[in-house]
Amino acid sequence: MRFVSYALSDKNGVAVRRGPDLIDLGAIDLGTLLRNDPDVLQELGRSAKGAPLNTQHLRYRPPIARPPKIICIGLNYADHATESQMKKPDYPPVFTRFTSTLIGHNEPIIRPKVSTQLDYEGELVAVIGRGGRHIPRARALEHVAGYSLFNDASVRDYQFKSTQWTVGKNFDATGPFGPELVTADELPPGCAGLKIETRLNGTVLQSANTDVMIFPVADLIFYLSEAITLEPGDVIVTGTPSGVGFARQPPIWMKPGDVCEIEVEGIGTLRNPVKDET
């Protein structure tokens, strides 16, 4: 099933997709639902009734509006590690994002006043449904509620100002997330074997397959839960393939007027325009 978090008029809510229609589930929050009962999504989706939402003025919100944690993985595709002039990792490089960075589908990515080095990174997202610690690899995918898409838009000069990437990965309104949460039963286990692609103004700049991730989703859950208690609604952003802007000659930076699209086979397309900070 596919769920959309939305804003419409003065209401925030969740809807389930049925074909081209969005059936309203009311003023609820997916993160709260997962914390209360990780199995509730299937029941809600099946029992949804009523007329489709009028989507003319609907605004997409991030599927999980305020995740307890946004855990990002760096260098999870060997070709991206190579283009970044870094060693293929033996252990997942981990960094975090903050909820203040998140925006929804169709919302503008904001290029900050202090930099022109705004880069794109198309990524698959796994959303935790069942929390836990010390989760074995063999059971890890049982903890995933569903999958979505992310653009880990990065302000590169600020990312590389220090040995820590945190600042360059956490400018406001640089974390597009969505458009839908697709439940795990609709996709291959761990989203293996899916094409992932990034387009800027219609030009393909990243194209790969999730099969070549160094650390698949089950491995990431295993490694992360050795140290961190994963909670329902946590978001794991699984890394980007090669083709990022800073590694190109000359570099390609996103600028006002651009449109960036992230697509993963079977999940959909996350689309965002770019605007300058005012």
Side-chain angles (χ1 to χ4, degrees):
M1 295 182 182
R2 295 168 177 265
F3 295 88
V4 167
S5 295
Y6 71 84
L8 187 60
S9 187
D10 59 351
K11 172 186 173 183
N12 291 338
V14 172
V16 61
R17 184 170 294 285
R18 291 207 179 133
D21 296 326
L22 292 175
I23 307 302
D24 192 20
L25 297 174
I28 55 177
D29 174 78
L30 282 177
T32 302
L33 290 174
L34 289 174
R35 286 191 292 275
N36 291 338
D37 180 1
D39 297 321
V40 74
L41 296 186
Q42 295 290 346
E43 180 183 341
L44 271 175
R46 285 192 297 267
S47 62
K49 298 178 181 177
L53 283 171
N54 182 344
T55 59
Q56 183 178 0
H57 300 293
L58 181 141
R59 182 167 63 87
Y60 283 81
R61 300 171 66 233
I64 309 294
R66 298 191 67 81
K69 293 183 281 296
I70 306 168
I71 304 171
C72 301
I73 308 300
L75 307 177
N76 200 18
Y77 291 75
D79 54 0
H80 177 52
T82 298
E83 72 174 357
S84 301
Q85 300 182 29
M86 295 183 184
K87 180 184 174 183
K88 178 182 173 181
D90 298 318
Y91 182 88
V94 176
F95 60 95
T96 59
R97 269 189 176 263
F98 307 133
T99 57
S100 55
T101 70
L102 297 183
I103 58 174
H105 174 63
N106 287 332
E107 296 292 303
I109 302 168
I110 301 301
R111 186 176 73 167
K113 293 178 180 180
V114 295
S115 176
T116 59
Q117 294 187 14
L118 179 63
D119 207 346
Y120 52 84
E121 290 192 8
E123 311 204 17
L124 170 74
V125 165
V127 176
I128 296 297
R130 294 183 180 279
R133 179 96 190 275
H134 297 297
I135 299 168
R137 281 187 180 89
R139 307 296 299 271
L141 296 182
E142 298 173 18
H143 291 256
V144 178
Y147 297 90
S148 191
L149 308 177
F150 204 90
N151 188 345
D152 185 30
S154 306
V155 181
R156 295 298 190 190
D157 46 349
Y158 276 76
Q159 178 183 347
F160 298 128
K161 277 180 181 287
S162 78
T163 57
Q164 303 299 312
W165 298 348
T166 303
V167 171
K169 297 285 190 173
N170 277 285
F171 275 73
D172 286 355
T174 58
F177 175 24
E180 302 176 338
L181 175 68
V182 182
T183 54
D185 60 297
E186 289 212 0
L187 297 161
C191 277
L194 300 182
K195 182 179 180 180
I196 178 170
E197 187 171 276
T198 300
R199 299 181 293 271
L200 187 64
N201 303 322
T203 299
V204 175
L205 296 178
Q206 293 182 286
S207 186
N209 191 290
T210 57
D211 263 351
V212 300
M213 285 196 294
I214 299 168
F215 305 103
V217 173
D219 284 5
L220 294 176
I221 291 170
F222 166 74
Y223 284 121
L224 291 170
S225 70
E226 285 185 316
I228 302 165
T229 299
L230 297 178
E231 302 170 89
D234 280 350
V235 170
I236 302 174
V237 186
T238 61
T240 199
S242 65
V244 296
F246 87 88
R248 293 176 173 271
Q249 295 298 329
I252 294 176
W253 307 119
M254 294 192 293
K255 61 187 183 305
D258 286 350
V259 175
C260 193
E261 296 174 302
I262 313 300
E263 182 174 5
V264 172
E265 179 183 2
I267 298 179
T269 301
L270 172 64
R271 178 187 184 277
N272 297 89
V274 180
K275 290 186 177 181
D276 261 339
E277 182 179 11
T278 57

